[in-house]
Amino acid sequence: METMQIAPARLCGSIRVPSSKSLAHRAVIAASLCQGKSVLRGVDLNDDVRATLAGMQALGAQAAWQEGRLAVQGLHAGERAQGDCLIDCNESGSTLRFLIPLALALWGEATTFIGRGNLGKRPLDPFFEIMRAQGLPFSHEGDPLCLKVRGPLQSGKFALRGDISSQFLTGLLFALPLLQGDSDIELTTPLQSAGYVELTLDVLRDFGIKVVPTPGGYHVPGGQHYCAGSYAVEGDYSQAAFFLVAGALGSDVAVQGLRADSHQGDRLVMDILQRMGAQFNWTGDALQCRAPQGLRGTRIDAAQCPDIIPPLAVAAALACGRTEVVNAGRLRIKECDRLSAIAHELGALGAHITEQPDSLIIDGVASLSGGRAFSHQDHRIAMMLAIAATRCDKPVLLQEPGCVSKSYGNFYEDYQKVGGVCGR
């Protein structure tokens, strides 16, 4: 088992975080659905985005790098392709849930989705209910993932739960404009991670697609065409969150590449850290976070921002007082059981964390001790532990550190660039 030693060191300097993984998924899909060539700027091809790009290529799009930009030749969505199709989602839940409706809408024969890790444990029931209602055949094996579906998806009325994952809604919003008739989506429960849906609507609008919000959901006119063009992907708040937390804990890091008016749901990291006592300063597109008086505990609702709970758990572990992380059950079905991993691994470093079925109770301590910790082969747990190491008394011995390639392949290089001390 590979081990990396990360020594205690405060960070100082400036880094540019990767482009938003959430927006990159959406831009790649939208560009692939155009009848023409689009140029995407600022795309970082981490493992998850590679899976989405490969999936859209399997459906008929073409892509190539041109002068540091991703040029995408869209598929001809007016004609259903023929022959069986295989889409390897790797460990990307976004790829799986975004592309299932598109495969049903675009592909003439069977489509097989495969994946690895915990992907087969991710719920897919909302799509199964739609396929049953329309009489579409499918088969599903969960471990490892093997899902076979066959269209054609028909326009109409779709009842969809909003409290499992917004990814189901995004998948439908991409596919329904391509169908001949109009469609209506009715949300049967409150929508979680609503910020991610706003990102989807932003991208659809930028590529010429009209979606009309209704009191209970969305009206999607059919027969629309995606319009090719140029698109720039902004920096990722979910990755920036790790370095912003480091700043709140005493480091001096400027995070570049972010938009102050972003609709990314993980921009909530700023609101939460401000409630904990942090202050923010913008200089152009560079954001700095400091907490001159230290951090204090607060209540964090994970329903709208599950991906930033790992770095926020580090902030809470070193804050004064108690922090409660609630509505966090979805963290159990990520790349690993993140609730358990956060509690166990930060606890191994000296944090005081109580794990509950869908929440964490974190009582802050003055510093962490360091020691051996395991990434659980989860990119966000690995990065969480690296940030925790900045406030440890002894080095952190991180097992299986390489999983950061899923979303932030250059994380350790950037970490070292701003003074982090790590090595295998």
Side-chain angles (χ1 to χ4, degrees):
M1 182 179 293
E2 183 183 14
T3 299
M4 172 182 284
Q5 178 170 294
I6 308 177
R10 302 296 172 98
L11 309 182
C12 182
S14 176
I15 57 105
R16 181 171 294 274
V17 292
S19 59
S20 166
K21 183 161 69 85
S22 298
L23 280 169
H25 280 297
R26 290 160 171 78
V28 164
I29 292 170
S32 298
L33 295 173
C34 296
Q35 293 187 0
K37 178 181 174 181
S38 297
V39 177
L40 306 181
R41 293 175 283 121
V43 175
D44 287 283
L45 284 184
N46 51 58
D47 291 350
D48 281 8
V49 175
R50 287 182 188 276
T52 291
L53 180 60
M56 295 309 298
Q57 289 174 305
L59 290 173
Q62 300 176 26
W65 285 102
Q66 294 181 356
E67 299 178 351
R69 300 174 180 181
L70 185 64
V72 180
Q73 183 68 39
L75 54 89
H76 295 289
E79 298 181 3
R80 289 174 58 80
Q82 300 299 315
D84 291 349
C85 177
L86 176 67
I87 296 178
D88 185 350
C89 301
N90 199 344
E91 294 186 71
S92 173
S94 295
T95 302
L96 176 63
R97 289 168 172 169
F98 292 172
L99 269 56
I100 287 174
L102 287 170
L104 293 172
L106 297 170
W107 202 252
E109 302 296 336
T111 302
T112 300
F113 291 86
I114 60 173
R116 51 194 58 85
N118 279 343
L119 189 62
K121 299 177 183 177
R122 302 280 184 100
L124 294 173
D125 297 300
F127 286 154
F128 295 159
E129 292 171 7
I130 290 171
M131 287 186 279
R132 290 189 189 102
Q134 295 202 1
L136 303 179
F138 69 93
S139 64
H140 178 231
E141 297 176 14
D143 190 17
L145 172 70
C146 182
L147 170 67
K148 296 182 179 182
V149 303
R150 186 188 297 267
L153 184 68
Q154 301 294 326
S155 59
K157 295 187 181 297
F158 296 83
L160 189 70
R161 292 184 59 161
D163 60 352
I164 301 177
S165 172
S166 65
Q167 292 172 344
F168 298 106
L169 177 55
T170 285
L172 284 175
L173 290 173
F174 275 120
L176 296 182
L178 302 172
L179 305 182
Q180 288 305 307
D182 293 358
S183 297
D184 289 285
I185 301 172
E186 177 190 359
L187 296 174
T188 60
T189 65
L191 179 63
Q192 292 191 357
S193 300
Y196 289 102
V197 178
E198 290 300 319
L199 291 186
T200 301
L201 296 174
D202 285 348
V203 172
L204 288 170
R205 190 180 306 112
D206 289 339
F207 282 86
I209 297 298
K210 180 180 180 181
V211 174
V212 182
T214 63
Y218 301 89
H219 175 73
V220 186
Q224 299 189 64
H225 299 282
Y226 285 77
C227 299
S230 179
Y231 185 87
V233 183
E234 65 186 70
D236 195 331
Y237 270 91
S238 65
Q239 312 297 7
F242 292 94
F243 290 103
L244 295 176
V245 165
L249 293 175
S251 291
D252 184 11
V253 184
V255 182
Q256 297 177 314
L258 301 174
R259 282 183 54 172
D261 61 349
S262 175
H263 284 159
Q264 292 180 52
D266 290 333
R267 191 182 179 280
L268 281 171
V269 68
M270 295 179 64
D271 297 335
I272 295 168
L273 286 174
Q274 282 178 324
R275 291 206 313 267
M276 298 180 75
Q279 302 172 2
F280 289 89
N281 180 58
W282 286 97
T283 305
D285 71 343
L287 179 62
Q288 286 183 287
C289 178
R290 296 187 177 91
Q293 307 302 318
L295 297 176
R296 57 182 178 270
T298 189
R299 186 176 187 271
I300 301 173
D301 187 341
Q304 301 297 336
C305 55
D307 286 345
I308 57 175
I309 297 305
L312 287 172
V314 180
L318 290 156
C320 180
R322 171 168 288 188
T323 294
E324 297 181 49
V325 181
V326 300
N327 296 324
R330 280 194 297 155
L331 273 73
R332 295 198 183 279
I333 52 171
K334 296 290 187 176
E335 284 78 354
C336 72
D337 180 342
R338 284 186 184 158
L339 279 189
S340 176
I342 290 169
H344 187 273
E345 303 309 326
L346 288 182
L349 301 184
H352 293 172
I353 303 181
T354 302
E355 176 188 353
Q356 298 183 335
D358 73 341
S359 63
L360 296 172
I361 306 299
I362 305 175
D363 292 302
V365 296
S367 66
L368 300 174
S369 58
R372 188 172 297 274
F374 179 39
S375 73
H376 295 257
Q377 298 181 330
D378 185 318
H379 55 134
R380 300 197 192 279
I381 299 301
M383 291 186 283
M384 173 192 79
L385 293 166
I387 297 304
T390 67
R391 288 288 303 272
C392 286
D393 298 326
K394 298 181 298 184
V396 171
L397 301 176
L398 175 59
Q399 296 175 321
E400 300 289 359
C403 52
V404 296
S405 64
K406 189 175 193 296
S407 65
Y408 194 164
N410 294 327
F411 173 77
Y412 297 117
E413 287 84 349
D414 283 351
Y415 186 80
Q416 290 176 307
K417 178 182 176 181
V418 291
V421 180
C422 59
R424 290 174 170 83

